[in-house]
Amino acid sequence: MKKLLFIFGFSASLVLTNTHSIAQSSYSEETEKEAKKNEEPKIIADFKEAKLKLTKQGKQLVVEAYIPKGITEFEVRIESDRNNPVSSAREISTVDPYPEERALEFQNSPLDIRYPVVDIELENGMDGVCVFEAEPHGDYIFGGPFFRESQPLKKEIVLPSHKLEYWENSLMLDYTEPKIEKIYLRKTFPVILRDFKHTFKLLSEDWSGNICIVIFSQNKPLEIASARIESEPVVSKKAGMVEKMKGSGIYRERLIASLELLIDDGLRRQNNNSNSPTYGNLYAFYDLEAKLHRTNYWNWAGTQYVKMVLDAIKVPEIQNTYDSSALIEAVDNIGRNILSYQLKEDGHPSRGSFLVIWSRRFNSYTKWIGTSDSGVMIRWALIPLFQATGDSTYLKAAEYWCMQKSSLLDTFDVLPHYYRYDEDRFNERILDETGWDPEGHAALYELTGNEQYRKSGKEFMDKHMKVFQQEDGLWNRAYDWTTGEQVETIKMTRGSGWAMEGLLAMNRMYPDTIYLDYAVKMATFLQNNQNDDGSWSFIFDKDAKEVGISEKGTALWSLLFYQLYEATGKSEYLATARKSLNWCMENQYTGPDPEAIGGLVGSTPASMVGIRSYFPASCAYTTGFFGLAILEELKLLGKE
């Protein structure tokens, strides 16, 4: 394989029902034969005295061992079952209706990304090792999307501690290389007393795997003891309560119970690795097939959760259940991550905007500076955090974006969607999703009353509507600002929702004008195509059996219809909002995977947006929109 050319623009609610305590000596005849080649008989006899005991309680894994005399240091190796097997970006779901098309897509590149899992808290001196089944060839890159160094493959490669992320890690290599035999974490300990005890902190109560103790003799590893933790069910009392309420309609107690599951879902999604470049951010996706939190580098994906939490702590039942200061601290960490990636380089064409995502496909990562996507980060996170904490840093960052953007609007007929940072150019294609941009302008205008924020939002939206808005209410899917080429609407539920966000934001600044007229037209399409159960298909006018149900779009449109009802007072919009909210509550995940509890699980072409199509997954911003819809319903119930 040629040298890799890597293109970068690159819970408290869960109650464990069983405690594990398993001890096993793994000293074997093979180990003894190997040892005889390198060690004196006396030491060989000592190996047989090695003992290892594991005890797991909740997220604590206690390792107790007896280390035989004559050994001065040893290595603890930890193999999680989540790495058996290691998932891949090239995998094709068994429910994918178009597997041949997916396979053809993968022919565009010889590369693959494998996703090693870290599901324990990393400690000083801990790194990882990847062992291949056979001697590989070529090169690899470990640590995407943040690291780019290409290195030669070997039978065993080290996954260095400074590149390790909690949960999903990225190992890019030629997809034809041998399969991964195993991946383990390791840490070396000195023998101070022969009785050894150490506690590892797990990232999930649902942990199972193998632990072994290894010593080195003549530079060769010898395993002297091993033990295993088996997988056992983890029961959530909260999830059980929500499950029992299904089918009972919409009422306050049920809304609160669902809201608590959503709050807990976001807390589990948070990246708590303080050494990570995106510390504090939420993992955008949870992959139920791989049992893995993915994508901690979509900086915008947790922003709706910020607004949801800050509004939820005003609800008396939430105040009684949670420590409000702890929740504020958690979402403040999301905001701090956002602030750290505001682009302020002198003279940069996208100055003032935020790094919103590292876009990823099965073979690459690309940094996006979101000229318009920054608006939703301001609406859902920065302004609410300013209001909750009083920290003016949030307001100043939002105002800086808007002021810098005003000059950009004069430069382009239609503002490009995002800047490809590592390629130093704006992307040519603009998506309908940029329609959500006025959310940021409206949030600033509502807070400050500054007329300039309202005017720049109008300038942005009016230019966009000239090339996106169809008279019937739908938006074109895409527009190329360099050629003028347009792509007609594909009627994607979620994508249409982003445009609807912008129309409703414009209506907040310019009430009862053309923006509301077009919002009503678009809403009519969604009403006419809502499934009988309250959901919408991924493509809203197609059968869900063909394209899947849009769980993201259903949660989003539930909130949008609540907002449309508020703007118009028309009861038909409230009925649609409640119908879709009821679907969300009926389909809220309650088990058995404890890491997925509270979310909405979908299986669509964009389950994880760009990779692993049709694999079941839940999404952070879906959790946020679902919770915000619940809060709208709670407000209405409070008025009745």
Side-chain angles (χ1 to χ4, degrees), residues 21-80:
S21 182
I22 300 177
Q24 173 187 341
S25 172
S26 68
Y27 185 84
S28 63
E29 291 182 3
E30 288 75 14
T31 304
E32 185 167 352
K33 289 177 182 178
E34 182 67 25
K36 284 180 179 179
K37 298 177 184 178
N38 304 299
E39 301 290 347
E40 296 297 324
K42 180 177 181 298
I43 302 300
I44 294 172
D46 284 344
F47 291 167
K48 294 180 178 179
E49 297 176 9
K51 296 178 182 179
L52 179 60
K53 177 184 176 183
L54 306 179
T55 305
K56 182 165 81 77
Q57 180 69 54
K59 292 185 179 181
Q60 304 287 321
L61 177 59
V62 180
V63 177
E64 298 176 89
Y66 177 78
I67 309 300
K69 187 177 181 180
I71 298 172
T72 59
E73 65 179 30
F74 61 94
E75 186 175 279
V76 175
R77 295 184 177 180
I78 306 166
E79 294 183 46
S80 168

Side-chain angles (χ1 to χ4, degrees), residues 86-93 102 105-106 111-115 168 170-172 287 294 360-365 610-613 615:
V86 177
S87 63
S88 161
R90 280 181 173 264
E91 290 178 277
I92 299 175
S93 170
R102 207 73 56 206
E105 176 189 345
F106 293 154
L111 300 178
D112 185 19
I113 299 178
R114 317 284 173 85
Y115 299 109
E168 180 188 72
S170 170
L171 175 62
M172 179 176 285
D287 183 334
R294 295 189 181 277
R360 77 273 187 277
R361 295 296 182 262
F362 70 94
N363 61 344
S364 66
Y365 296 93
I611 59 167
R612 293 175 64 80
S613 298
F615 282 97

